[in-house]
Amino acid sequence: MKILPSEITPYKNYINRRKFIKSSIAAGVFIGASTTLKASHLAEDNPFNSQLDESDTLNTFEDITTYNNFYEFGMGKTDPSENSSNFNPKPWSISLEGLINYPQVLDLEKILNKVTIEDRVYRLRCVEAWSMVIPWQGFPLAEIIKIADPLSSAKYIQFVTVFRPEEMPGQKRRLLPWPYVEGLRMDEAMHPLTILSTGLYGHDLLNQSGAPIRLVVPWKYGFKSIKSVTTIKFVDKQPDATWSMLAPSEYGFYSNVNNNVDHPRWSQGTERRIGEFKRRKTLMFNGYEEEVSYMYEGMDLKKYY
Ligand SMILES: Nc1nc2c(c(=O)[nH]1)N[C@H]1C(S)=C(S)[C@@H](COP(=O)(O)O)O[C@H]1N2
Ligand SMILES: [Mo]
C-alpha cells in the first residue's frame, strides 16, 4: 500500500509538535528536539519510560511501517505494508467475554471516550533478534480490565485478532492457525507498562501496524503484541497463544525477553536495531527489568520461557 504523504505526520514534525503540547497528555513523554532520547528529557512522573538508554534513537515512521510481522497479510517483512490496503478497520468493536461482571461488545469510539491517550516510547524486540524504538499512542490495558470488572476466578486474559480472510489475504492460506491468539497472566495484563495502542508518531495505526488497536507488551518478544484485537476473554487457565501452540519448544507462553535463554535455533544475547549495522546487547526484560521482574520472582525463567 502507498502511504500518502498527507496522511502521515512526518516524524520530525511529530517530535516538534510534541514539544509544544503539554497539558493534553496525561503522562506524556517529553521528547527533546533531537531524535535521540535522553533520560533527562523524559517526564519525571513517567518512571516507566526513564529506562530508555541514552543511545536509543526513535526508528523512523518509514521503518516502523514497512518492516512488519503480520502474517494475516503474508510472511515477508514488506507484505503487511503492501497487502493490507483492503483491510477496513472502521468501524471497530471489541468484545469483552468470559469471567467478568460486565460482558459486552464495546465500540472503539466509546472506549476512546473513556480513556486518556498517552505517549509511550517503547523498545520492541522481535524474537527473530531485531528491534525498534517506537513512539506509541495508547492507554493502559488496565483501563479496559476495569470496565470488564473481572471475577476473582479470572487469572489470565486471551486476546483474539479479527478473522477476515476477504480482507486479509494471508488468512486464505494456512500460514498459521487462524485467528491469531495471544495471552497474558492477569498481573501482566494489569501492569502499567502494558498498553493498547491506537497510534504511533501521532497518527492512527496504519493497517500493517495492527489498526485500529493492538496490544504492546514491551518486555516480551514482539509476537505477544497481538494486532487488530477484536476479543478480550477472561479465563481461569493459561490460554492458547499462537506461536507457543505451534512450536512449544521454541516459543513459551511467557516469552519475556531474556538474553540468558537462547532460542533453540539462535542466540537471544544480541539484536540488530533496524536502521543500524552493529549489533546491540539484548537487555534482560528488554530493559524493563526494574519495572517488571517482581512478577517473576521465584520462577525458573529457563522453564517458564
Ligand atoms: N495478529 C497478529 N499479530 C501479530 C503478529 C501477527 O503475525 N499477527 N506478529 C507479531 C510479531 S512476531 C511481532 S514482532 C509484532 C510486530 O509488530 P510491528 O509490525 O508493529 O513491529 O507483531 C506481533 N503481532
Ligand atoms: Mo516477532
Side-chain angles (χ1 to χ4, degrees), residues 167-182:
E167 297 177 28
M168 299 175 135
Q171 287 182 336
K172 290 191 168 164
R173 302 157 58 196
R174 276 186 232 170
L175 303 177
L176 293 177
W178 309 113
Y180 194 99
V181 289
E182 257 306 338

Side-chain angles (χ1 to χ4, degrees), residues 63-74 77 80 124-128 130 132 134 136 160-162 168 171 176 178-182 200 205 208-210 214-216 221-229 242-243:
D63 278 348
I64 297 169
T65 57
T66 56
Y67 191 92
N68 299 101
N69 272 342
F70 199 171
Y71 279 25
E72 283 81 344
F73 298 110
K77 296 292 180 252
L124 182 143
R125 168 63 158 77
C126 180
V127 73
E128 299 164 297
W130 52 265
M132 292 201 203
I134 302 176
W136 301 105
V160 186
T161 292
V162 75
M168 299 175 135
Q171 287 182 336
L176 293 177
W178 309 113
Y180 194 99
V181 289
E182 257 306 338
L200 61 88
L205 288 182
Q208 58 266 42
S209 298
R214 56 93 58 86
L215 188 68
V216 184
Y221 292 117
F223 63 86
K224 299 297 281 186
S225 292
I226 180 173
K227 293 171 167 176
S228 306
V229 172
T242 295
W243 286 101

Side-chain angles (χ1 to χ4, degrees), residues 125-129 221 223 243 247-252 255 258-269 305:
R125 168 63 158 77
C126 180
V127 73
E128 299 164 297
Y221 292 117
F223 63 86
W243 286 101
S249 61
E250 301 193 9
Y251 312 103
S255 288
N258 190 337
N259 49 309
N260 303 310
V261 177
D262 287 337
H263 184 278
R265 292 182 282 134
W266 60 81
S267 160
Q268 294 293 18
Y305 54 93

